[in-house]
Amino acid sequence: MLESKIPQGPLADKWTHYKSKVPLVSPANKRRLDIIVIGTGLAGASAASSLAEMGYNVKTFCFQDSPRRAHSIAAQGGINAAKNYQNDGDSVYRLFYDTIKGGDYRSRESNVHRLAEVSSSIIDQCVAQGVPFAREYGGTLDNRSFGGVQVSRTFYARGQTGQQLLLGAYSALSRQIAKGGVKMYNRHEMLDIVKIDGKARGVIVRDLMTGKYERHFGHAVVLATGGYGNVFYLSTNAMASNVTAIWKAHKKGAMFGNPCFTQIHPTCIPVSGDYQSKLTLMSESLRNDGRIWVPKKKGDDRQPRDIPEDERDYYLERRYPAFGNLVPRDVASRAAKERCDEGFGVGPTKLAVYLDFKDAIKRLGQDVVSARYGNLFEMYEKITGDNPYSTPMRIYPAVHYTMGGLWVDYNLMTTVPGLYAIGECNFSDHGANRLGASALMQGLADGYFVLPYTIGEYLSNDIRTPAISTDHEAFEKAEKESKNRNDRLLNNNGSRSVESFHRDLGHIMWDNCGMARNIAGLTKAIGEIQSLKKEFWDKVRVPGRDNVLNPELEKAGRVADFIELGELMVRDALDRSESCGGHFREESQTDEGEAKRDDENFTFASAWDYQGEGTDPVRNKEKLEFEAVQLTQRSYK
Amino acid sequence: MADLNLTLKIWRQDGPTEPGGFKTYDISDLNTHMSFLEMLDVLNENLVNSGDEPVAFDHDCREGICGMCSMVINGRPHGPLEGTTTCQLHMRHFNDGDTVTIEPWRAKPFPVLKDLIVDRTPFDRIIQAGGFVSVNTGSAPDGNAIPIGKDISDDAFDAAACIGCGACVAACKNASANLFTAAKISQLALLPQGQTERVERVIGMVKQMDEEGFGHCTNTGACEAECPKEISVDYIRKMNWEFHSANVKG
Ligand SMILES: Cc1cc2nc3c(=O)[nH]c(=O)nc-3n(C[C@H](O)[C@H](O)[C@H](O)COP(=O)(O)OP(=O)(O)OC[C@H]3O[C@@H](n4cnc5c(N)ncnc54)[C@H](O)[C@@H]3O)c2cc1C
Ligand code: FES
């Protein structure tokens, strides 16, 4: 049933070969084809503008007040590309290899190789748009290095790479809006997809300002709706990032790939109280010069500056002498958790470790440190009130990115014909752990260079389908279902706020399906989530009306979907009894406490098939075949 | 971590055509480590629990980069701190017993949609009128084909840092959008990639800005003072120069 549609031939030639063979759609026919794109982040904005340039009619939706505000805007560190401008031995193969290895051998070789191949064109495209990347004095593009790799291939624009790349894609999108190739709908939220004869043929959206439900037809529908890290309540994602679009697609037949694969980023500002609404990332680049430590003595309450050198435990340097503070994210996060669980944590909550720049300042001088990290230090001080030049930062891991998402084939099509998923909302390229600076690369690769080709394969067979009227009963039914659900929420007359349910869900997920997972906790969590779901529908209180702007109603719908997703994530985590990448099953570890993969039984991507309310979902497997790399246990010792 | 008690005077307005007015709320036992928006979250949860409608406000990233959050706090867009968006403002900058007034952006081209939310789509239309380089996907030369001096690229970056929040318009007594528009025009005028369309761009964007009903610039500099990204008014001078030379050429 799962057909990954990987082209034949040697790995390095697959994409070139595919491109020369893929059926084309003539310009006259493109004008007759409508494509719906949900989302205007890096993936959605780049796809919508490229498709419109090619001549398709595009309708694009986002829930913010402008396409420029998608969550991609917040990415800090940079974007990878195999340009080898630094002449340090980088190549397409090496980027491919690092990504496969970093993902702990749980991604599809052919997709990752294609990603590495197109990476270079992304940089060219963005430069041509006027994206102000960092440059050397000689005028050429500058690079930095990122965790888990040994070459310098990350392009960046100060600490605001996501902003500059998104504004580039937004400018391309704006150009197409002005030309009439794209019709943009701001402040519209997709609530369901519409299927006719088994194919995706449109969407139901709600105009968030008026509460009006609208029906839109498309010959194909592209979801570019971002990650679902907010299932944990606290994460580094933007407040409104949510799973609704892909969850509704899942319930209409799109299988969900590797839902439990979550990235927990090691360097975030710790939680300070119950009121906390989100967590702030401190860029990974800080680990280039900062040293991570905790006191050697349990419960040591002295100020950090009063703790002498020989009473400090630089535990990453101790455990991983080869990579030290630069081990990959999952390894660094688990090590911090291990120290805090053992009682060595610092700060008021004891759920934090120090990230110290004392030695860097001594070695490089405050000016150099400030030139490298000044804006991050300032941000840290704004939030915590502490000055990192004089006292070490306190950091703790936080949910950051979801590698899981809708299962897609080589064409980026889901298991629903005509429904595509691109960017963070699909499961494709990062396996069980994503390397830094690779999400921006994937979003733009999918949107600028992959989907515009691969969608042609489907649409070339669809040129004779005339636009279907949105009076069709399938639209009618989907709209009614969306509306009924909102009515039920508004008329529930309950007593508990949506927020309180979201917070409870977050606790269950973080405690049982977070940095470490085990059979007892996961089994318990399934029951807890099922009761939470019941209580939600019994007791939630949603004020206001349906026919006006109602942020509480929007939130209620999203949280209801998060609760269902949470259960699926836990099932997936339970099913995969090996450890791999960010998924650490306590039952599967080495004597030294490192993650232990089980290649014999788990070299597959899971693809969950929804079976209806009250019935357990079915797990399918896409077996992963590796021809170009050899599977080894990752070691950073 | 002293606890904080405040009186909030918040603008409430049901819709674009409904009349609005201030409502007063008392809020107590706030933690000083909270952000300003987390303080409003607490207020909203209290309102929901007592069966009232929460205060509507725009926000998303809560990291000072998406440009969604937009409120006038005690008369100043984004509140008392320089170079800071509302979402990055923390309660330690307020004193126990303070009265805090919270209003939406006030500017004719940005009508209030509900409570603290305004319509900023005029900014999108200004960008659509020329704030781009016309380069189709796939037609770009190698990224290093055109070297760009570090100083020029840094200058372009300073202009490109605009988050499109609209504080400049809210701060200006004429509701002028000059700083926003000038930032994009300058970014692209500084870079070699922006040269081909330089003339049409400035003419198109300035025309759109006027059509949206934004006021004229009278050089008070309030926009730069309130800009959370501290974008310099020098770019307005640059835009004016671009505009005049474009009209000479055109
Ligand atoms: C703080 C932070 C820093 C990061 N830094 C880096 C970095 O340095 N390098 C890197 O490579 N990656 C980084 N990442 C990851 C990266 O930013 C994201 O993975 C990526 O930007 C996701 O892009 P996207 O286009 O898939 O989705 P998003 O940018 O999340 O866009 C989602 C879009 O979908 C729309 N949408 C969603 N649901 C609906 C719906 N139901 N109806 C209508 N519209 C909808 C939204 O309005 C939005 O327009 C970072 C992430 C975070 C949180
Ligand atoms: S919420 Fe994004 S800038 Fe304030």
Side-chain angles (χ1 to χ4, degrees), chain A residues 39-43 62-64 70-72 75-78 188 190 224-226 236 281 400-401 424 437-440:
Chain A
T40 60
L42 288 179
C62 73
F63 57 67
Q64 289 92 348
H71 165 60
S72 293
Q76 302 170 352
H188 277 65
M190 181 201 120
T225 51
T236 62
L281 176 77
H400 179 58
Y401 181 89
E424 189 173 342
S438 286
L440 302 182

PDB file of all heavy atoms in Angstrom, chain A residues 39-43 62-64 70-72 75-78 188 190 224-226 236 281 400-401 424 437-440, ligand 1:
ATOM      1  N   GLY A  39      -0.352  27.722   3.980  1.00  0.00           N
ATOM      2  CA  GLY A  39       0.870  28.082   4.700  1.00  0.00           C
ATOM      3  C   GLY A  39       1.774  28.960   3.868  1.00  0.00           C
ATOM      4  O   GLY A  39       1.895  28.789   2.653  1.00  0.00           O
ATOM      5  N   THR A  40       2.396  29.930   4.536  1.00  0.00           N
ATOM      6  CA  THR A  40       3.278  30.869   3.844  1.00  0.00           C
ATOM      7  C   THR A  40       4.625  30.965   4.529  1.00  0.00           C
ATOM      8  O   THR A  40       5.292  31.993   4.480  1.00  0.00           O
ATOM      9  CB  THR A  40       2.657  32.276   3.818  1.00  0.00           C
ATOM     10  OG1 THR A  40       2.487  32.678   5.191  1.00  0.00           O
ATOM     11  CG2 THR A  40       1.332  32.299   3.110  1.00  0.00           C
ATOM     12  N   GLY A  41       5.028  29.895   5.229  1.00  0.00           N
ATOM     13  CA  GLY A  41       6.386  29.863   5.759  1.00  0.00           C
ATOM     14  C   GLY A  41       7.356  29.639   4.606  1.00  0.00           C
ATOM     15  O   GLY A  41       6.993  29.803   3.434  1.00  0.00           O
ATOM     16  N   LEU A  42       8.570  29.255   4.918  1.00  0.00           N
ATOM     17  CA  LEU A  42       9.549  29.071   3.847  1.00  0.00           C
ATOM     18  C   LEU A  42       9.026  28.100   2.808  1.00  0.00           C
ATOM     19  O   LEU A  42       9.141  28.330   1.607  1.00  0.00           O
ATOM     20  CB  LEU A  42      10.863  28.555   4.425  1.00  0.00           C
ATOM     21  CG  LEU A  42      11.639  29.604   5.210  1.00  0.00           C
ATOM     22  CD1 LEU A  42      12.913  28.997   5.775  1.00  0.00           C
ATOM     23  CD2 LEU A  42      11.994  30.787   4.324  1.00  0.00           C
ATOM     24  N   ALA A  43       8.429  27.000   3.248  1.00  0.00           N
ATOM     25  CA  ALA A  43       7.971  26.000   2.296  1.00  0.00           C
ATOM     26  C   ALA A  43       6.799  26.528   1.474  1.00  0.00           C
ATOM     27  O   ALA A  43       6.822  26.479   0.234  1.00  0.00           O
ATOM     28  CB  ALA A  43       7.575  24.720   3.039  1.00  0.00           C
ATOM     29  N   CYS A  62      -3.023  31.697   5.091  1.00  0.00           N
ATOM     30  CA  CYS A  62      -2.277  31.626   6.352  1.00  0.00           C
ATOM     31  C   CYS A  62      -3.164  32.199   7.452  1.00  0.00           C
ATOM     32  O   CYS A  62      -4.101  32.943   7.162  1.00  0.00           O
ATOM     33  CB  CYS A  62      -0.952  32.388   6.284  1.00  0.00           C
ATOM     34  SG  CYS A  62      -1.107  34.174   6.293  1.00  0.00           S
ATOM     35  N   PHE A  63      -2.875  31.832   8.700  1.00  0.00           N
ATOM     36  CA  PHE A  63      -3.763  32.328   9.758  1.00  0.00           C
ATOM     37  C   PHE A  63      -3.273  33.631  10.385  1.00  0.00           C
ATOM     38  O   PHE A  63      -3.997  34.269  11.122  1.00  0.00           O
ATOM     39  CB  PHE A  63      -4.047  31.255  10.822  1.00  0.00           C
ATOM     40  CG  PHE A  63      -2.825  30.679  11.496  1.00  0.00           C
ATOM     41  CD1 PHE A  63      -2.035  31.444  12.325  1.00  0.00           C
ATOM     42  CD2 PHE A  63      -2.479  29.350  11.286  1.00  0.00           C
ATOM     43  CE1 PHE A  63      -0.924  30.918  12.941  1.00  0.00           C
ATOM     44  CE2 PHE A  63      -1.352  28.810  11.907  1.00  0.00           C
ATOM     45  CZ  PHE A  63      -0.577  29.594  12.734  1.00  0.00           C
ATOM     46  N   GLN A  64      -2.019  34.012  10.103  1.00  0.00           N
ATOM     47  CA  GLN A  64      -1.545  35.301  10.622  1.00  0.00           C
ATOM     48  C   GLN A  64      -2.130  36.452   9.795  1.00  0.00           C
ATOM     49  O   GLN A  64      -2.758  36.210   8.769  1.00  0.00           O
ATOM     50  CB  GLN A  64      -0.010  35.377  10.561  1.00  0.00           C
ATOM     51  CG  GLN A  64       0.705  34.479  11.555  1.00  0.00           C
ATOM     52  CD  GLN A  64       1.050  33.110  10.992  1.00  0.00           C
ATOM     53  OE1 GLN A  64       0.581  32.711   9.942  1.00  0.00           O
ATOM     54  NE2 GLN A  64       1.880  32.375  11.711  1.00  0.00           N
ATOM     55  N   ALA A  70       4.894  34.067   9.206  1.00  0.00           N
ATOM     56  CA  ALA A  70       4.941  32.625   9.488  1.00  0.00           C
ATOM     57  C   ALA A  70       6.100  32.331  10.440  1.00  0.00           C
ATOM     58  O   ALA A  70       7.092  33.066  10.500  1.00  0.00           O
ATOM     59  CB  ALA A  70       5.106  31.847   8.195  1.00  0.00           C
ATOM     60  N   HIS A  71       5.972  31.217  11.136  1.00  0.00           N
ATOM     61  CA  HIS A  71       6.935  30.869  12.161  1.00  0.00           C
ATOM     62  C   HIS A  71       8.377  30.772  11.660  1.00  0.00           C
ATOM     63  O   HIS A  71       9.328  31.004  12.420  1.00  0.00           O
ATOM     64  CB  HIS A  71       6.491  29.563  12.822  1.00  0.00           C
ATOM     65  CG  HIS A  71       7.521  28.910  13.635  1.00  0.00           C
ATOM     66  ND1 HIS A  71       8.098  29.532  14.720  1.00  0.00           N
ATOM     67  CD2 HIS A  71       8.116  27.718  13.522  1.00  0.00           C
ATOM     68  CE1 HIS A  71       9.000  28.727  15.235  1.00  0.00           C
ATOM     69  NE2 HIS A  71       9.034  27.622  14.531  1.00  0.00           N
ATOM     70  N   SER A  72       8.578  30.487  10.387  1.00  0.00           N
ATOM     71  CA  SER A  72       9.939  30.445   9.823  1.00  0.00           C
ATOM     72  C   SER A  72      10.732  31.708  10.149  1.00  0.00           C
ATOM     73  O   SER A  72      11.962  31.694  10.187  1.00  0.00           O
ATOM     74  CB  SER A  72       9.884  30.321   8.296  1.00  0.00           C
ATOM     75  OG  SER A  72       9.356  29.094   7.888  1.00  0.00           O
ATOM     76  N   ALA A  75      13.659  31.622  12.833  1.00  0.00           N
ATOM     77  CA  ALA A  75      14.880  30.817  12.778  1.00  0.00           C
ATOM     78  C   ALA A  75      16.095  31.727  12.872  1.00  0.00           C
ATOM     79  O   ALA A  75      16.136  32.793  12.276  1.00  0.00           O
ATOM     80  CB  ALA A  75      14.915  29.995  11.507  1.00  0.00           C
ATOM     81  N   GLN A  76      17.067  31.300  13.638  1.00  0.00           N
ATOM     82  CA  GLN A  76      18.192  32.184  13.945  1.00  0.00           C
ATOM     83  C   GLN A  76      19.454  31.816  13.172  1.00  0.00           C
ATOM     84  O   GLN A  76      20.032  32.601  12.439  1.00  0.00           O
ATOM     85  CB  GLN A  76      18.493  32.124  15.450  1.00  0.00           C
ATOM     86  CG  GLN A  76      17.309  32.507  16.318  1.00  0.00           C
ATOM     87  CD  GLN A  76      17.527  32.229  17.803  1.00  0.00           C
ATOM     88  OE1 GLN A  76      18.505  31.603  18.199  1.00  0.00           O
ATOM     89  NE2 GLN A  76      16.625  32.708  18.632  1.00  0.00           N
ATOM     90  N   GLY A  77      19.881  30.563  13.371  1.00  0.00           N
ATOM     91  CA  GLY A  77      21.265  30.195  13.093  1.00  0.00           C
ATOM     92  C   GLY A  77      21.729  30.204  11.662  1.00  0.00           C
ATOM     93  O   GLY A  77      22.759  30.786  11.336  1.00  0.00           O
ATOM     94  N   GLY A  78      21.005  29.557  10.751  1.00  0.00           N
ATOM     95  CA  GLY A  78      21.500  29.535   9.388  1.00  0.00           C
ATOM     96  C   GLY A  78      20.906  28.434   8.549  1.00  0.00           C
ATOM     97  O   GLY A  78      20.010  27.717   8.970  1.00  0.00           O
ATOM     98  N   HIS A 188      -7.012  33.362   7.596  1.00  0.00           N
ATOM     99  CA  HIS A 188      -7.921  32.276   7.249  1.00  0.00           C
ATOM    100  C   HIS A 188      -7.312  30.981   7.773  1.00  0.00           C
ATOM    101  O   HIS A 188      -6.127  30.750   7.576  1.00  0.00           O
ATOM    102  CB  HIS A 188      -8.090  32.147   5.729  1.00  0.00           C
ATOM    103  CG  HIS A 188      -9.098  33.093   5.159  1.00  0.00           C
ATOM    104  ND1 HIS A 188      -8.914  34.460   5.182  1.00  0.00           N
ATOM    105  CD2 HIS A 188     -10.292  32.882   4.559  1.00  0.00           C
ATOM    106  CE1 HIS A 188      -9.969  35.033   4.609  1.00  0.00           C
ATOM    107  NE2 HIS A 188     -10.812  34.098   4.218  1.00  0.00           N
ATOM    108  N   MET A 190      -7.410  26.830   7.716  1.00  0.00           N
ATOM    109  CA  MET A 190      -7.951  25.636   7.092  1.00  0.00           C
ATOM    110  C   MET A 190      -8.462  24.690   8.168  1.00  0.00           C
ATOM    111  O   MET A 190      -7.764  24.384   9.117  1.00  0.00           O
ATOM    112  CB  MET A 190      -6.865  24.933   6.286  1.00  0.00           C
ATOM    113  CG  MET A 190      -7.379  23.699   5.592  1.00  0.00           C
ATOM    114  SD  MET A 190      -6.042  22.576   5.177  1.00  0.00           S
ATOM    115  CE  MET A 190      -6.574  21.155   6.108  1.00  0.00           C
ATOM    116  N   ALA A 224       1.656  23.154   3.820  1.00  0.00           N
ATOM    117  CA  ALA A 224       2.989  23.638   4.212  1.00  0.00           C
ATOM    118  C   ALA A 224       2.816  24.310   5.558  1.00  0.00           C
ATOM    119  O   ALA A 224       3.132  25.479   5.748  1.00  0.00           O
ATOM    120  CB  ALA A 224       3.516  24.622   3.170  1.00  0.00           C
ATOM    121  N   THR A 225       2.267  23.541   6.514  1.00  0.00           N
ATOM    122  CA  THR A 225       1.723  24.161   7.719  1.00  0.00           C
ATOM    123  C   THR A 225       2.625  24.070   8.944  1.00  0.00           C
ATOM    124  O   THR A 225       2.191  24.380  10.048  1.00  0.00           O
ATOM    125  CB  THR A 225       0.348  23.543   8.032  1.00  0.00           C
ATOM    126  OG1 THR A 225       0.478  22.114   8.028  1.00  0.00           O
ATOM    127  CG2 THR A 225      -0.661  23.943   6.981  1.00  0.00           C
ATOM    128  N   GLY A 226       3.879  23.614   8.758  1.00  0.00           N
ATOM    129  CA  GLY A 226       4.843  23.701   9.852  1.00  0.00           C
ATOM    130  C   GLY A 226       4.748  22.546  10.839  1.00  0.00           C
ATOM    131  O   GLY A 226       4.032  21.566  10.633  1.00  0.00           O
ATOM    132  N   THR A 236       9.745  25.970  21.649  1.00  0.00           N
ATOM    133  CA  THR A 236      10.298  27.198  21.064  1.00  0.00           C
ATOM    134  C   THR A 236       9.471  27.667  19.876  1.00  0.00           C
ATOM    135  O   THR A 236       9.803  28.669  19.263  1.00  0.00           O
ATOM    136  CB  THR A 236      11.745  26.976  20.589  1.00  0.00           C
ATOM    137  OG1 THR A 236      11.721  25.969  19.568  1.00  0.00           O
ATOM    138  CG2 THR A 236      12.645  26.515  21.725  1.00  0.00           C
ATOM    139  N   LEU A 281      14.706  29.910  22.474  1.00  0.00           N
ATOM    140  CA  LEU A 281      15.926  29.223  22.061  1.00  0.00           C
ATOM    141  C   LEU A 281      17.121  30.160  22.181  1.00  0.00           C
ATOM    142  O   LEU A 281      17.029  31.337  21.857  1.00  0.00           O
ATOM    143  CB  LEU A 281      15.757  28.819  20.598  1.00  0.00           C
ATOM    144  CG  LEU A 281      16.948  28.158  19.929  1.00  0.00           C
ATOM    145  CD1 LEU A 281      17.037  26.732  20.388  1.00  0.00           C
ATOM    146  CD2 LEU A 281      16.799  28.216  18.425  1.00  0.00           C
ATOM    147  N   HIS A 400      11.665  21.602  20.208  1.00  0.00           N
ATOM    148  CA  HIS A 400      12.072  22.581  19.215  1.00  0.00           C
ATOM    149  C   HIS A 400      11.537  22.291  17.819  1.00  0.00           C
ATOM    150  O   HIS A 400      11.196  23.196  17.069  1.00  0.00           O
ATOM    151  CB  HIS A 400      13.600  22.606  19.189  1.00  0.00           C
ATOM    152  CG  HIS A 400      14.181  23.546  18.206  1.00  0.00           C
ATOM    153  ND1 HIS A 400      13.907  24.891  18.235  1.00  0.00           N
ATOM    154  CD2 HIS A 400      15.000  23.356  17.161  1.00  0.00           C
ATOM    155  CE1 HIS A 400      14.556  25.474  17.243  1.00  0.00           C
ATOM    156  NE2 HIS A 400      15.205  24.568  16.565  1.00  0.00           N
ATOM    157  N   TYR A 401      11.478  21.027  17.457  1.00  0.00           N
ATOM    158  CA  TYR A 401      11.206  20.684  16.051  1.00  0.00           C
ATOM    159  C   TYR A 401      10.612  19.294  16.008  1.00  0.00           C
ATOM    160  O   TYR A 401      10.947  18.447  16.831  1.00  0.00           O
ATOM    161  CB  TYR A 401      12.524  20.700  15.275  1.00  0.00           C
ATOM    162  CG  TYR A 401      12.384  20.397  13.799  1.00  0.00           C
ATOM    163  CD1 TYR A 401      12.147  21.421  12.889  1.00  0.00           C
ATOM    164  CD2 TYR A 401      12.473  19.091  13.317  1.00  0.00           C
ATOM    165  CE1 TYR A 401      12.005  21.153  11.543  1.00  0.00           C
ATOM    166  CE2 TYR A 401      12.333  18.821  11.972  1.00  0.00           C
ATOM    167  CZ  TYR A 401      12.106  19.854  11.094  1.00  0.00           C
ATOM    168  OH  TYR A 401      11.973  19.591   9.751  1.00  0.00           O
ATOM    169  N   GLU A 424       8.297  21.477   7.254  1.00  0.00           N
ATOM    170  CA  GLU A 424       8.345  20.747   8.522  1.00  0.00           C
ATOM    171  C   GLU A 424       7.140  19.815   8.696  1.00  0.00           C
ATOM    172  O   GLU A 424       7.201  18.847   9.458  1.00  0.00           O
ATOM    173  CB  GLU A 424       8.428  21.736   9.698  1.00  0.00           C
ATOM    174  CG  GLU A 424       8.699  21.031  11.024  1.00  0.00           C
ATOM    175  CD  GLU A 424       8.956  21.987  12.199  1.00  0.00           C
ATOM    176  OE1 GLU A 424       9.256  23.171  11.957  1.00  0.00           O
ATOM    177  OE2 GLU A 424       8.859  21.526  13.345  1.00  0.00           O
ATOM    178  N   ALA A 437      20.423  23.922  11.034  1.00  0.00           N
ATOM    179  CA  ALA A 437      20.464  24.628   9.749  1.00  0.00           C
ATOM    180  C   ALA A 437      19.968  23.792   8.571  1.00  0.00           C
ATOM    181  O   ALA A 437      20.200  24.134   7.419  1.00  0.00           O
ATOM    182  CB  ALA A 437      21.859  25.179   9.471  1.00  0.00           C
ATOM    183  N   SER A 438      19.285  22.681   8.863  1.00  0.00           N
ATOM    184  CA  SER A 438      18.791  21.838   7.776  1.00  0.00           C
ATOM    185  C   SER A 438      17.297  21.972   7.529  1.00  0.00           C
ATOM    186  O   SER A 438      16.796  21.497   6.517  1.00  0.00           O
ATOM    187  CB  SER A 438      19.089  20.363   8.069  1.00  0.00           C
ATOM    188  OG  SER A 438      20.454  20.136   7.871  1.00  0.00           O
ATOM    189  N   ALA A 439      16.576  22.606   8.455  1.00  0.00           N
ATOM    190  CA  ALA A 439      15.131  22.745   8.252  1.00  0.00           C
ATOM    191  C   ALA A 439      14.852  23.842   7.231  1.00  0.00           C
ATOM    192  O   ALA A 439      13.983  23.703   6.370  1.00  0.00           O
ATOM    193  CB  ALA A 439      14.430  23.075   9.559  1.00  0.00           C
ATOM    194  N   LEU A 440      15.607  24.921   7.314  1.00  0.00           N
ATOM    195  CA  LEU A 440      15.409  26.008   6.354  1.00  0.00           C
ATOM    196  C   LEU A 440      15.739  25.495   4.962  1.00  0.00           C
ATOM    197  O   LEU A 440      15.044  25.772   3.989  1.00  0.00           O
ATOM    198  CB  LEU A 440      16.297  27.201   6.721  1.00  0.00           C
ATOM    199  CG  LEU A 440      16.085  27.778   8.127  1.00  0.00           C
ATOM    200  CD1 LEU A 440      16.981  28.991   8.348  1.00  0.00           C
ATOM    201  CD2 LEU A 440      14.629  28.178   8.345  1.00  0.00           C
TER     202      LEU A 440
HETATM  203  C1  LIG C   1      13.370  29.440  17.451  1.00  0.00           C
HETATM  204  C2  LIG C   1      13.649  28.586  16.255  1.00  0.00           C
HETATM  205  C3  LIG C   1      14.857  28.706  15.587  1.00  0.00           C
HETATM  206  C4  LIG C   1      15.131  27.925  14.465  1.00  0.00           C
HETATM  207  N1  LIG C   1      16.324  28.081  13.836  1.00  0.00           N
HETATM  208  C5  LIG C   1      16.592  27.339  12.731  1.00  0.00           C
HETATM  209  C6  LIG C   1      17.824  27.518  12.028  1.00  0.00           C
HETATM  210  O1  LIG C   1      18.669  28.329  12.396  1.00  0.00           O
HETATM  211  N2  LIG C   1      18.038  26.771  10.929  1.00  0.00           N
HETATM  212  C7  LIG C   1      17.118  25.870  10.473  1.00  0.00           C
HETATM  213  O2  LIG C   1      17.378  25.246   9.445  1.00  0.00           O
HETATM  214  N3  LIG C   1      15.947  25.702  11.114  1.00  0.00           N
HETATM  215  C8  LIG C   1      15.656  26.403  12.227  1.00  0.00           C
HETATM  216  N4  LIG C   1      14.464  26.222  12.875  1.00  0.00           N
HETATM  217  C9  LIG C   1      13.429  25.346  12.285  1.00  0.00           C
HETATM  218  C10 LIG C   1      12.719  26.055  11.129  1.00  0.00           C
HETATM  219  O3  LIG C   1      12.552  27.410  11.432  1.00  0.00           O
HETATM  220  C11 LIG C   1      11.342  25.478  10.806  1.00  0.00           C
HETATM  221  O4  LIG C   1      11.408  24.104  10.741  1.00  0.00           O
HETATM  222  C12 LIG C   1      10.843  25.976   9.455  1.00  0.00           C
HETATM  223  O5  LIG C   1      10.949  27.360   9.373  1.00  0.00           O
HETATM  224  C13 LIG C   1       9.426  25.535   9.164  1.00  0.00           C
HETATM  225  O6  LIG C   1       8.977  26.137   7.971  1.00  0.00           O
HETATM  226  P1  LIG C   1       7.621  25.739   7.295  1.00  0.00           P
HETATM  227  O7  LIG C   1       7.506  26.548   6.060  1.00  0.00           O
HETATM  228  O8  LIG C   1       7.527  24.277   7.163  1.00  0.00           O
HETATM  229  O9  LIG C   1       6.469  26.150   8.334  1.00  0.00           O
HETATM  230  P2  LIG C   1       6.143  27.519   9.129  1.00  0.00           P
HETATM  231  O10 LIG C   1       7.142  28.565   8.907  1.00  0.00           O
HETATM  232  O11 LIG C   1       5.818  27.115  10.505  1.00  0.00           O
HETATM  233  O12 LIG C   1       4.822  28.041   8.426  1.00  0.00           O
HETATM  234  C14 LIG C   1       3.565  27.478   8.641  1.00  0.00           C
HETATM  235  C15 LIG C   1       2.557  28.253   7.840  1.00  0.00           C
HETATM  236  O13 LIG C   1       1.351  27.517   7.793  1.00  0.00           O
HETATM  237  C16 LIG C   1       0.252  28.322   8.134  1.00  0.00           C
HETATM  238  N5  LIG C   1      -0.751  27.441   8.714  1.00  0.00           N
HETATM  239  C17 LIG C   1      -0.576  26.442   9.613  1.00  0.00           C
HETATM  240  N6  LIG C   1      -1.738  25.822   9.865  1.00  0.00           N
HETATM  241  C18 LIG C   1      -2.668  26.444   9.108  1.00  0.00           C
HETATM  242  C19 LIG C   1      -4.063  26.262   8.924  1.00  0.00           C
HETATM  243  N7  LIG C   1      -4.746  25.310   9.568  1.00  0.00           N
HETATM  244  N8  LIG C   1      -4.710  27.088   8.079  1.00  0.00           N
HETATM  245  C20 LIG C   1      -4.046  28.059   7.410  1.00  0.00           C
HETATM  246  N9  LIG C   1      -2.733  28.265   7.538  1.00  0.00           N
HETATM  247  C21 LIG C   1      -2.051  27.466   8.374  1.00  0.00           C
HETATM  248  C22 LIG C   1       0.810  29.388   9.041  1.00  0.00           C
HETATM  249  O14 LIG C   1      -0.005  30.522   8.996  1.00  0.00           O
HETATM  250  C23 LIG C   1       2.187  29.625   8.402  1.00  0.00           C
HETATM  251  O15 LIG C   1       2.035  30.524   7.340  1.00  0.00           O
HETATM  252  C24 LIG C   1      14.174  26.995  14.013  1.00  0.00           C
HETATM  253  C25 LIG C   1      12.970  26.863  14.678  1.00  0.00           C
HETATM  254  C26 LIG C   1      12.710  27.630  15.807  1.00  0.00           C
HETATM  255  C27 LIG C   1      11.448  27.393  16.562  1.00  0.00           C
END
